[in-house]
Amino acid sequence: MQILLTPGEPAGIGPDLAVLAAQQQQAQLLVAVADPTLLEQRAQALGLALRLQEWDPAAPEPLAPPGLAVLPVPLRAAARCGRLDPRNAPYVLDTLQRATEACLSGRAAALVTGPVHKGVINDAGIPFSGHTEYLAALTGTPRVVMMLATDGLRVALATTHLPLAAVSAAITRDSLREVLRILEHDLRARFGVGRPRILVCGLNPHAGEGGHLGREEIETIAPVVAELQAAGMALRGPLPADTLFTPPQLASADAVLAMYHDQGLPVLKHLGFGRAVNVTLGLPIVRTSVDHGTALDLAGTGRIDSGSLAVALATARLMARAGKAE
């Protein structure tokens, strides 16, 4: 099972993560989609051995440590630890495009993405709001769902990278219906959950307080929940987010649907930062990601924790196998 890894921003810790992964005995063939010189330079900075081999999709066995297969993609400019360079923004997107094409063609089973720096990509004049939206566009997928998971908690998002002022208008009956159907389907198909139990957050404080604190729950969220309950989905909501994330509530749930990014993800990251994984649901490929950023100040220092990458790799492997079994 061949899993592709895009290290992301070349000035950040993504290349470090790829080099560290090469030191471990992999249960699958891991392929870095990156500039080989960048990986070699980062290994030298870390004082670690690295043996690169150009990726052969037909290779029968994983490479022994510290071996790492690589799908070469050239940098646009020399990369230095901790120093962003807009000239390399197209390189970052090139790696994502090459990796996505390989997954769509069936040459690879899954894609694991390292952290990118959205700001420097936008500074380069390229509109970019995140991996989730970019991969949806690359694969021609009209609707995807961002979900983070850690031990004991999965949180999916009804909206992703939007200003808070734009969230209410973005939550429509049609969009919410699509998100819940994708979430329920992929929990079954990708995670082997027989009948997913999903808790649905309200948007407003106290889930709108009967309309006194907002009417989105009454006019949008509750009607969609009732409709999908009638269709057989195991949903509860809309529930106040301030009490939903408590052990008694979560004990009866396989996932939570939050209405916006910072409603649900702070709770999950408090519970499992460094042990969590970001998953894009609804894509025709398997995609997982680390739960942290580029950590520019730590690049090349050796002072990083690769725990989230290990979880992302394990989750990608699980999802790919579940998809084959479906």
Side-chain angles (χ1 to χ4, degrees):
M1 180 182 293
Q2 298 174 322
I3 295 180
L4 306 185
L5 170 65
T6 52
E9 169 53 50
I13 63 170
D16 305 54
L17 293 174
V19 173
L20 288 172
Q23 313 303 310
Q24 307 299 317
Q25 187 65 51
Q26 301 294 328
Q28 73 289 324
L29 180 62
L30 182 65
V31 181
V33 186
D35 188 307
T37 300
L38 169 66
L39 298 177
E40 290 169 345
Q41 290 173 343
R42 197 60 55 90
Q44 184 176 10
L46 295 172
L48 294 173
L50 182 66
R51 185 178 67 258
L52 297 179
Q53 178 175 306
E54 187 161 347
W55 180 37
D56 176 5
E61 298 294 336
L63 297 174
L68 183 63
V70 61
L71 174 57
V73 178
L75 281 166
R76 302 297 180 91
R80 291 188 288 178
C81 292
R83 299 192 180 185
L84 295 172
D85 188 336
R87 291 177 296 173
N88 277 326
Y91 158 79
V92 173
L93 302 185
D94 286 347
T95 65
L96 290 172
Q97 183 167 351
R98 293 286 300 278
T100 300
E101 290 169 351
C103 289
L104 287 171
S105 71
R107 290 181 292 143
L111 168 61
V112 175
T113 58
V116 297
H117 194 286
K118 298 171 194 171
V120 76
I121 296 175
N122 283 282
D123 288 344
I126 303 170
F128 182 85
S129 58
H131 275 116
T132 302
E133 298 84 358
Y134 188 75
L135 292 173
L138 274 182
T139 59
T141 307
R143 173 80 61 184
V144 294
V145 176
M146 179 178 175
M147 183 178 81
L148 267 74
T150 191
D151 290 340
L153 181 61
R154 300 184 184 101
V155 177
L157 302 178
T159 62
T160 53
H161 301 112
L162 290 178
L164 194 55
V167 168
S168 177
I171 300 173
T172 66
R173 291 192 187 189
D174 286 344
S175 70
L176 191 57
R177 188 182 298 113
E178 286 183 73
V179 166
L180 281 165
R181 285 175 172 163
I182 291 169
L183 175 58
E184 202 259 1
H185 174 272
D186 278 20
L187 286 172
R188 291 176 185 269
R190 297 293 195 186
F191 291 88
V193 180
R195 187 169 187 259
R197 302 163 299 170
I198 301 169
L199 304 183
V200 181
C201 292
L203 173 64
N204 297 295
H206 302 175
E209 197 77 76
H212 294 287
L213 295 177
R215 297 192 58 81
E216 288 90 349
E217 288 78 12
I218 294 170
E219 296 175 0
T220 303
I221 303 172
V224 172
V225 169
E227 173 192 334
L228 295 178
Q229 285 172 331
M233 289 176 58
L235 307 179
R236 288 177 53 214
L239 301 172
D242 64 341
T243 54
L244 182 155
F245 290 100
T246 57
Q249 295 273 30
L250 295 177
S252 62
D254 297 299
V256 173
L257 179 67
M259 291 297 108
Y260 57 93
H261 188 281
D262 282 13
Q263 183 182 56
L265 297 193
V267 181
L268 185 136
K269 292 192 176 186
H270 174 72
L271 177 65
F273 191 72
R275 305 182 311 279
V277 59
N278 185 348
V279 183
T280 305
L281 307 178
L283 290 172
I285 65 172
V286 171
R287 180 260 171 166
T288 69
S289 182
V290 296
D291 70 343
H292 55 74
T294 54
L296 295 168
D297 58 320
L298 297 179
T301 68
R303 303 195 314 271
I304 66 169
D305 184 345
S306 60
S308 183
L309 176 62
V311 176
L313 289 169
T315 304
R317 187 166 61 247
L318 178 153
M319 292 175 65
R321 287 175 175 165
K324 283 186 176 181
E326 188 185 19

PDB file of all heavy atoms in Angstrom, residues 149-154 250-251 253-255 268 271:
ATOM      1  N   ALA A 149      -9.903  14.396  13.946  1.00  0.00           N
ATOM      2  CA  ALA A 149     -10.186  13.277  14.832  1.00  0.00           C
ATOM      3  C   ALA A 149      -9.000  13.022  15.749  1.00  0.00           C
ATOM      4  O   ALA A 149      -7.840  13.184  15.363  1.00  0.00           O
ATOM      5  CB  ALA A 149     -10.488  12.013  14.014  1.00  0.00           C
ATOM      6  N   THR A 150      -9.310  12.644  16.965  1.00  0.00           N
ATOM      7  CA  THR A 150      -8.317  12.184  17.930  1.00  0.00           C
ATOM      8  C   THR A 150      -8.982  11.090  18.755  1.00  0.00           C
ATOM      9  O   THR A 150     -10.157  10.775  18.546  1.00  0.00           O
ATOM     10  CB  THR A 150      -7.804  13.339  18.812  1.00  0.00           C
ATOM     11  OG1 THR A 150      -6.666  12.892  19.547  1.00  0.00           O
ATOM     12  CG2 THR A 150      -8.874  13.855  19.761  1.00  0.00           C
ATOM     13  N   ASP A 151      -8.253  10.489  19.674  1.00  0.00           N
ATOM     14  CA  ASP A 151      -8.826   9.417  20.481  1.00  0.00           C
ATOM     15  C   ASP A 151     -10.076   9.920  21.198  1.00  0.00           C
ATOM     16  O   ASP A 151     -10.019  10.861  21.986  1.00  0.00           O
ATOM     17  CB  ASP A 151      -7.811   8.920  21.505  1.00  0.00           C
ATOM     18  CG  ASP A 151      -6.664   8.158  20.877  1.00  0.00           C
ATOM     19  OD1 ASP A 151      -6.828   7.693  19.730  1.00  0.00           O
ATOM     20  OD2 ASP A 151      -5.603   8.031  21.515  1.00  0.00           O
ATOM     21  N   GLY A 152     -11.209   9.303  20.901  1.00  0.00           N
ATOM     22  CA  GLY A 152     -12.438   9.621  21.612  1.00  0.00           C
ATOM     23  C   GLY A 152     -13.260  10.750  21.051  1.00  0.00           C
ATOM     24  O   GLY A 152     -14.334  11.060  21.581  1.00  0.00           O
ATOM     25  N   LEU A 153     -12.825  11.404  19.968  1.00  0.00           N
ATOM     26  CA  LEU A 153     -13.592  12.534  19.442  1.00  0.00           C
ATOM     27  C   LEU A 153     -13.306  12.751  17.964  1.00  0.00           C
ATOM     28  O   LEU A 153     -12.154  12.785  17.535  1.00  0.00           O
ATOM     29  CB  LEU A 153     -13.250  13.816  20.215  1.00  0.00           C
ATOM     30  CG  LEU A 153     -13.996  15.099  19.813  1.00  0.00           C
ATOM     31  CD1 LEU A 153     -15.499  14.943  20.010  1.00  0.00           C
ATOM     32  CD2 LEU A 153     -13.474  16.290  20.611  1.00  0.00           C
ATOM     33  N   ARG A 154     -14.384  12.900  17.193  1.00  0.00           N
ATOM     34  CA  ARG A 154     -14.305  13.335  15.794  1.00  0.00           C
ATOM     35  C   ARG A 154     -15.172  14.576  15.655  1.00  0.00           C
ATOM     36  O   ARG A 154     -16.333  14.563  16.072  1.00  0.00           O
ATOM     37  CB  ARG A 154     -14.816  12.259  14.827  1.00  0.00           C
ATOM     38  CG  ARG A 154     -14.084  10.931  14.851  1.00  0.00           C
ATOM     39  CD  ARG A 154     -14.659  10.013  13.766  1.00  0.00           C
ATOM     40  NE  ARG A 154     -14.085   8.674  13.774  1.00  0.00           N
ATOM     41  CZ  ARG A 154     -14.689   7.609  14.293  1.00  0.00           C
ATOM     42  NH1 ARG A 154     -15.894   7.737  14.845  1.00  0.00           N
ATOM     43  NH2 ARG A 154     -14.113   6.431  14.254  1.00  0.00           N
ATOM     44  N   LEU A 250     -20.851  13.118  24.634  1.00  0.00           N
ATOM     45  CA  LEU A 250     -19.954  12.513  23.646  1.00  0.00           C
ATOM     46  C   LEU A 250     -19.942  10.990  23.734  1.00  0.00           C
ATOM     47  O   LEU A 250     -19.606  10.312  22.759  1.00  0.00           O
ATOM     48  CB  LEU A 250     -18.538  13.061  23.816  1.00  0.00           C
ATOM     49  CG  LEU A 250     -18.365  14.553  23.526  1.00  0.00           C
ATOM     50  CD1 LEU A 250     -16.931  14.983  23.810  1.00  0.00           C
ATOM     51  CD2 LEU A 250     -18.736  14.880  22.084  1.00  0.00           C
ATOM     52  N   ALA A 251     -20.299  10.454  24.899  1.00  0.00           N
ATOM     53  CA  ALA A 251     -20.303   8.997  25.055  1.00  0.00           C
ATOM     54  C   ALA A 251     -21.282   8.323  24.102  1.00  0.00           C
ATOM     55  O   ALA A 251     -21.120   7.140  23.771  1.00  0.00           O
ATOM     56  CB  ALA A 251     -20.638   8.629  26.499  1.00  0.00           C
ATOM     57  N   ALA A 253     -21.906   9.339  20.947  1.00  0.00           N
ATOM     58  CA  ALA A 253     -21.713   9.897  19.607  1.00  0.00           C
ATOM     59  C   ALA A 253     -20.488   9.306  18.929  1.00  0.00           C
ATOM     60  O   ALA A 253     -19.484   8.996  19.574  1.00  0.00           O
ATOM     61  CB  ALA A 253     -21.568  11.417  19.685  1.00  0.00           C
ATOM     62  N   ASP A 254     -20.576   9.179  17.607  1.00  0.00           N
ATOM     63  CA  ASP A 254     -19.421   8.800  16.785  1.00  0.00           C
ATOM     64  C   ASP A 254     -18.755  10.020  16.171  1.00  0.00           C
ATOM     65  O   ASP A 254     -17.593   9.955  15.771  1.00  0.00           O
ATOM     66  CB  ASP A 254     -19.861   7.843  15.677  1.00  0.00           C
ATOM     67  CG  ASP A 254     -20.412   6.540  16.234  1.00  0.00           C
ATOM     68  OD1 ASP A 254     -19.659   5.830  16.917  1.00  0.00           O
ATOM     69  OD2 ASP A 254     -21.605   6.261  15.992  1.00  0.00           O
ATOM     70  N   ALA A 255     -19.488  11.127  16.097  1.00  0.00           N
ATOM     71  CA  ALA A 255     -18.930  12.367  15.547  1.00  0.00           C
ATOM     72  C   ALA A 255     -19.806  13.531  15.951  1.00  0.00           C
ATOM     73  O   ALA A 255     -20.988  13.366  16.281  1.00  0.00           O
ATOM     74  CB  ALA A 255     -18.826  12.288  14.019  1.00  0.00           C
ATOM     75  N   LEU A 268     -11.308  19.920  20.291  1.00  0.00           N
ATOM     76  CA  LEU A 268     -10.574  18.740  19.841  1.00  0.00           C
ATOM     77  C   LEU A 268      -9.076  18.914  20.028  1.00  0.00           C
ATOM     78  O   LEU A 268      -8.388  17.996  20.485  1.00  0.00           O
ATOM     79  CB  LEU A 268     -10.904  18.450  18.379  1.00  0.00           C
ATOM     80  CG  LEU A 268     -10.259  17.159  17.858  1.00  0.00           C
ATOM     81  CD1 LEU A 268     -11.240  16.354  17.042  1.00  0.00           C
ATOM     82  CD2 LEU A 268      -9.014  17.454  17.031  1.00  0.00           C
ATOM     83  N   LEU A 271      -7.990  18.489  23.537  1.00  0.00           N
ATOM     84  CA  LEU A 271      -7.987  17.079  23.921  1.00  0.00           C
ATOM     85  C   LEU A 271      -6.814  16.317  23.334  1.00  0.00           C
ATOM     86  O   LEU A 271      -6.204  15.475  24.006  1.00  0.00           O
ATOM     87  CB  LEU A 271      -9.302  16.424  23.473  1.00  0.00           C
ATOM     88  CG  LEU A 271      -9.459  14.927  23.725  1.00  0.00           C
ATOM     89  CD1 LEU A 271      -9.470  14.643  25.228  1.00  0.00           C
ATOM     90  CD2 LEU A 271     -10.730  14.399  23.069  1.00  0.00           C
TER      91      LEU A 271
END
